[in-house]
Amino acid sequence: MSGDNRPPAQEPASLFQSLHHVLLELHQNSYPHVPNPPQCKKRASVALVLRVRPTYNHRPDLSSLLRNDATASVTEQLDTFFAQEWVQNGDAEVLFIKRASRVGDRWTGHVALPGGKRDPEDADDRAAAIREASEEVGLDLTTDDCIYVGNLPERVVTSSWGSVPLMVLCPYVFLLTGPDTPPLALQPEEVASTHWVSLNVLLSPSSRTAEHVDMTQRLASQGGLVARLASRTMMGYMQFSAIRLNPTETLQCGTNLKRGLETVETTIWFQRYTSWFHKPEPSKPNPPLLLWGLTLGILADFLDMLPPHTAVQLWKYPNFTAPDLRLIVNLVTYQLRKRNTHQVKFGARRPSETAIDGETAALPVIELEKDDRNQVGIGGLGVGRYYGPSDKYPDGSAYAVGIMLRGYYDKVRLALYIFVVWRVALGSVAAFCFWRYLRRKRLTV
């Protein structure tokens, strides 16, 4: 309308504008240090390494390429980097590793970020991340062509079943400023392959999927194989949020570890046997590369700051594949999920996705109500003890999915009790009907 005096609609910021803003924010507002919980001395660090891959039509002229000035402030370095045309027209990517198969490794074969445990020789947690990146993939994060940006929220990693604190996990963000990435050298005992994945893939709703996890894997040592199979038959698998990765560049390690092959050979017979009971997905010759669990939780803290800001909407509550158990969980948790989602919608501004897998849980450190503090939920479903400062920051932000999960696993535990009663009652009715049928058959004969 010609008489409309409203100001013109502001164009949404591009991904690179938002990325620039996010990196500046991370640099200017560091997340607080999380001390070790009681009886837990281990700390580990990971490196979230970003690069910009030039497109074919916007490759920079090496003769006029702006080299990063490491003597300038980080703010000035970031401003100079994002002002370049090849950067604005490039594709921002994140470096992932696929861990080598190793006996006793909780995260064997998982997609992860370069990193590992802090050694006594490391000056601090960031030094551990830098050292591990150099050892695992041969990437030097101390050169002038790399900017240390800042950190992401530190987390206490606990064992899922026992909720015993294992370590404090500290993520750090680095940005490579050159158009050509230095060649990587993979350590075969730690890394099976490396993968550069576009931020557009990580942010796309079409990349969202689910990972099916066997939550009965520890029953074999407690109740034996029969107990494990019985639990699997009743409960099925558990579904966790995941992202299907589509790497732009992959480097495979040329060495196959014998012990990794032995691990596969000793477990394949059990996988074939249990597949008779539950088969969540048809077998594929080349299974997709999935990001889930601990690493997805770390990435979500970063991705949620970028458009389209839909990580919370795309996130789904963990649940089971058994149809009747899934229905019971949905019914029992309905009001809680509705209330928690309402609190997130009108409260939290900086959402964060939970980090859970079949072996461990790592949630951002939050401060619960007094009657909820240090409460341990059902083993294996990602509830542990929480330590450290409040999740409220001066800007009023909060961890959205941390709020969404509050009280959820208490309800899931109740749902499991109802499920067991339901299955026992159903089995009893089936047995009674079968007995009546046999009795009638004998009488007729």
Side-chain angles (χ1 to χ4, degrees):
M1 290 187 356
S2 58
D4 192 353
N5 295 324
R6 291 177 298 179
Q10 186 175 10
E11 294 184 2
S14 68
L15 177 59
F16 274 94
Q17 288 176 322
S18 299
L19 179 60
H20 184 190
H21 173 75
V22 166
L23 295 183
L24 286 174
E25 181 181 349
L26 288 176
H27 170 66
Q28 296 167 0
N29 301 282
S30 298
Y31 283 92
H33 170 76
V34 174
N36 282 71
Q39 310 302 323
C40 177
K41 297 182 179 180
K42 294 181 179 179
R43 300 181 71 86
S45 301
V46 294
L48 196 165
V49 182
L50 294 163
R51 76 172 184 183
V52 175
R53 181 171 54 87
T55 58
Y56 180 81
N57 293 326
H58 294 89
R59 284 204 57 85
D61 183 1
L62 298 181
S63 60
S64 59
L65 181 66
L66 293 178
R67 296 293 180 181
N68 183 55
D69 182 8
T71 62
S73 67
V74 172
T75 298
E76 292 174 337
Q77 293 180 56
L78 291 175
D79 290 343
T80 301
F81 176 75
F82 282 99
Q84 300 178 82
E85 182 182 2
W86 72 269
V87 173
Q88 297 173 358
N89 291 278
D91 190 11
E93 299 177 340
V94 179
L95 176 64
F96 295 98
I97 66 171
K98 188 174 188 296
R99 300 186 65 86
S101 297
R102 299 195 302 168
V103 177
D105 186 357
R106 292 177 178 270
W107 300 281
T108 181
H110 283 204
V111 173
L113 297 173
K117 295 180 182 178
R118 175 176 171 178
D119 289 343
E121 297 77 15
D122 295 322
D124 51 26
D125 293 321
R126 176 162 51 122
I130 294 173
R131 175 184 53 78
E132 286 287 343
S134 176
E135 294 177 356
E136 289 187 342
V137 298
L139 187 60
D140 187 357
L141 299 178
T142 63
T143 64
D144 291 345
D145 292 332
C146 180
I147 302 174
Y148 166 64
V149 176
N151 69 333
L152 292 172
E154 299 180 359
R155 318 159 178 267
V156 177
V157 179
T158 69
S159 63
S160 288
W161 288 94
S163 296
V164 177
L166 300 175
M167 66 183 69
V168 176
L169 183 61
C170 309
Y172 295 92
V173 182
F174 299 86
L175 173 66
L176 302 181
T177 60
D180 298 312
T181 304
L184 303 180
L186 312 190
Q187 184 185 55
E189 293 188 356
E190 299 283 347
V191 181
S193 57
T194 56
H195 308 271
W196 287 100
V197 180
S198 171
L199 279 181
N200 290 307
V201 172
L202 297 173
L203 293 167
S204 173
S206 62
S207 298
R208 288 285 174 150
T209 182
E211 172 72 340
H212 295 81
V213 181
D214 177 14
M215 302 306 297
T216 65
Q217 52 192 312
R218 296 199 176 184
L219 290 180
S221 59
Q222 301 176 3
L225 180 61
V226 175
R228 180 175 174 179
L229 290 177
S231 300
R232 169 77 68 79
T233 304
M234 290 181 61
M235 298 167 52
Y237 290 83
M238 197 165 188
Q239 282 184 330
F240 294 95
S241 292
I243 296 178
R244 184 185 297 106
L245 302 182
N246 184 22
T248 59
E249 181 181 331
T250 295
L251 177 62
Q252 299 285 346
C253 183
T255 303
N256 291 322
L257 291 181
K258 181 178 180 181
R259 59 182 175 181
L261 296 176
E262 290 175 349
T263 303
V264 175
E265 292 173 357
T266 55
T267 57
I268 194 170
W269 66 271
F270 183 78
Q271 294 175 352
R272 290 176 179 174
Y273 185 74
T274 53
S275 65
W276 298 344
F277 297 93
H278 290 279
K279 195 173 185 179
E281 291 184 350
S283 59
K284 301 177 182 179
N286 296 314
L289 196 67
L290 296 183
L291 173 65
W292 67 288
L294 304 181
T295 307
L296 176 57
I298 295 171
L299 258 293
D301 289 322
F302 179 74
L303 297 177
D304 288 337
M305 304 177 190
L306 299 170
H309 308 288
T310 57
V312 173
Q313 291 86 341
L314 295 175
W315 184 84
K316 295 182 180 180
Y317 280 91
N319 210 327
F320 295 89
T321 56
D324 50 350
L325 177 55
R326 188 179 189 88
L327 176 61
I328 293 173
V329 170
N330 285 335
L331 292 176
V332 171
T333 62
Y334 174 75
Q335 290 296 335
L336 180 138
R337 289 184 286 116
K338 184 177 180 180
R339 181 181 71 249
N340 288 356
T341 302
H342 178 80
Q343 293 179 359
V344 169
K345 184 176 181 181
F346 295 100
R349 291 206 313 269
R350 280 176 61 179
S352 169
E353 195 161 356
T354 184
I356 306 175
D357 58 32
E359 294 278 344
T360 55
L363 299 182
V365 177
I366 60 177
E367 184 175 358
L368 305 179
E369 300 295 333
K370 290 184 178 180
D371 56 348
D372 288 333
R373 175 174 283 278
N374 291 344
Q375 190 171 20
V376 179
I378 175 173
L381 302 187
V383 173
R385 301 177 186 268
Y386 299 88
Y387 304 88
S390 170
D391 62 336
K392 297 294 184 181
Y393 287 91
D395 63 351
S397 62
Y399 298 106
V401 179
I403 296 175
M404 293 173 70
L405 281 173
R406 290 178 184 175
Y408 178 72
Y409 290 111
D410 289 334
K411 294 293 185 180
V412 172
R413 179 168 49 189
L414 174 62
L416 281 175
Y417 293 150
I418 297 174
F419 170 71
V420 171
V421 173
W422 154 253
R423 280 292 182 96
V424 170
L426 185 64
S428 301
V429 171
F432 177 75
C433 293
F434 184 67
W435 174 77
R436 290 288 302 270
Y437 168 76
L438 293 179
R439 186 179 179 186
R440 287 181 180 178
K441 192 172 183 180
R442 282 200 219 100
L443 292 176
T444 55
V445 173

